Amino acid sequence: MIQQETYILPTAETVPDFESLYLAVRGLEQRIYTDEQLRQLPEIAPSHVHYKEWQIRKRSAERLVSYLAKKKKSLAILEIGCGNGWLAAKLAGLKDARVFALDVNAVELEQAKRVFKKSNLQFFEGDFSNQYFVGLKFDVIVFAASIQYFSPLKDILTKMQGYLADGGEIHIIDSNFYTEQTTEGARQRTFDYYKKISYPQLAAHYFHHRLDELAGFNHRILSNPNGIKNRLLKGSPFYWVRINKDAA
Ligand SMILES: C[S@@+](CC[C@H](N)C(=O)[O-])C[C@H]1O[C@@H](n2cnc3c(N)ncnc32)[C@H](O)[C@@H]1O
């Protein structure tokens, strides 16, 4: 079981690769959960440092699950960058769903396998070059708070469209998208943040995708943090984007 208290942080010098850097920062940010906490996510104690963020993530997960439930059909779902697997486990609660979840982060993935044992849920370690899914087609591919680690956006989306079954959809949730005006400032803030916490190398793995990069894809913005409704109701600060298999 992962215990936050005993987790030893590697230093920036000793961890040049993405997985170790990422994990070190997760620890620093108090985002490594105990098995017991993970089992309950997105519910977490109001005293937890990330309680507010989990409230937001809970709402977006519920929104996605209820959107998919309305399809009233058995779905093959792939989550890319599943981390500790909390969302994949929720998706596996959909009637007749089969969920496949992939991540390069072996430590959290091991925890996911240990905590969420469901016959319709499988975890895979690695990135897409591992060829686990060659020949398979999915009805739904989910990127939850993970698309910012993939670049170029056009390449990953085009590749993922190739894994969609007819009528399939890619859903990007809990991530930000930027405009020509906001990208540079966001990039700088990300760099400043990682520098401040002594992991400037991680900034090189974090990408600020622009909304206009979606233009060539048959997509729909299902929730816009800057939309009037979201602003008035203090809704999610993140985008929810659906990309269809077929060309625009
Ligand atoms: C912020 S976490 C999100 C985890 C989870 N989806 C959630 O909603 O909590 C981003 C995840 O993307 C994973 N990731 C980054 N690059 C990846 C890659 N090339 N292939 C697979 N996973 C990747 C990271 O290891 C990390 O677990």
Side-chain angles (χ1 to χ4, degrees):
M1 173 165 129
I2 296 182
Q3 294 288 0
Q4 276 161 292
E5 304 76 35
T6 56
Y7 183 72
I8 298 163
L9 293 178
T11 65
E13 290 70 39
T14 60
V15 287
D17 60 300
F18 170 76
E19 293 100 290
S20 317
L21 274 174
Y22 176 80
L23 198 63
V25 169
R26 290 282 284 181
L28 205 62
E29 291 176 336
Q30 300 181 55
R31 291 181 193 280
I32 300 286
Y33 297 92
T34 64
D35 287 7
E36 198 39 48
Q37 283 172 320
L38 175 55
R39 210 166 275 124
Q40 304 300 328
L41 287 180
E43 306 295 342
I44 198 148
S47 56
H48 191 274
V49 60
H50 297 304
Y51 173 72
K52 278 198 183 141
E53 186 180 298
W54 279 111
Q55 291 291 101
I56 293 167
R57 304 221 54 204
K58 179 182 165 186
R59 282 197 294 275
S60 56
E62 284 171 354
R63 233 166 26 174
L64 178 66
V65 167
S66 107
Y67 171 95
L68 297 177
K70 285 193 192 117
K71 291 190 177 290
K72 293 199 185 325
K73 61 178 225 179
S74 62
L75 297 171
I77 303 174
L78 172 64
E79 188 190 355
I80 311 268
C82 64
N84 58 29
W86 74 275
L87 181 63
K90 289 274 169 284
L91 294 168
L94 280 161
K95 191 167 178 293
D96 295 329
R98 279 166 300 137
V99 179
F100 305 82
L102 175 80
D103 206 292
V104 287
N105 166 359
V107 173
E108 283 185 276
L109 202 68
E110 279 311 309
Q111 189 188 21
K113 285 183 195 164
R114 185 172 65 236
V115 170
F116 301 117
K117 291 187 191 301
K118 294 179 177 225
S119 58
N120 63 339
L121 173 60
Q122 275 176 275
F123 291 101
F124 297 84
E125 185 192 333
D127 72 4
F128 233 82
S129 56
N130 284 47
Q131 315 271 305
Y132 289 123
F133 306 114
V134 172
L136 295 185
K137 296 281 180 190
F138 301 92
D139 302 296
V140 179
I141 298 179
V142 177
F143 288 87
S146 62
I147 197 72
Q148 59 270 30
Y149 297 101
F150 294 85
S151 181
L153 183 66
K154 186 174 175 218
D155 290 4
I156 182 78
L157 292 182
T158 305
K159 188 167 185 183
M160 290 302 110
Q161 278 183 319
Y163 283 91
L164 285 178
D166 288 343
E169 301 172 352
I170 298 169
H171 286 263
I172 300 176
I173 65 167
D174 295 348
S175 285
N176 256 316
F177 282 88
Y178 302 89
T179 64
E180 198 179 340
Q181 290 75 33
T182 58
T183 310
E184 218 27 69
R187 215 173 261 148
Q188 188 63 50
R189 283 194 298 281
T190 299
F191 181 74
D192 292 346
Y193 170 70
Y194 285 127
K195 189 165 170 233
K196 190 168 141 217
I197 62 168
S198 306
Y199 287 89
Q201 311 96 309
L202 205 52
H205 297 277
Y206 192 108
F207 304 97
H208 300 81
H209 300 308
R210 282 168 41 166
L211 279 172
D212 59 15
E213 294 177 76
L214 296 169
F217 294 92
N218 183 0
H219 75 284
R220 182 145 182 212
I221 295 174
L222 299 181
S223 181
N224 179 347
N226 304 311
I228 292 179
K229 193 173 150 204
N230 253 328
R231 293 223 306 256
L232 283 178
L233 300 176
K234 292 202 172 28
S236 173
F238 302 116
Y239 280 88
W240 175 13
V241 179
R242 181 188 71 202
I243 294 136
N244 288 73
K245 178 180 167 69
D246 322 301

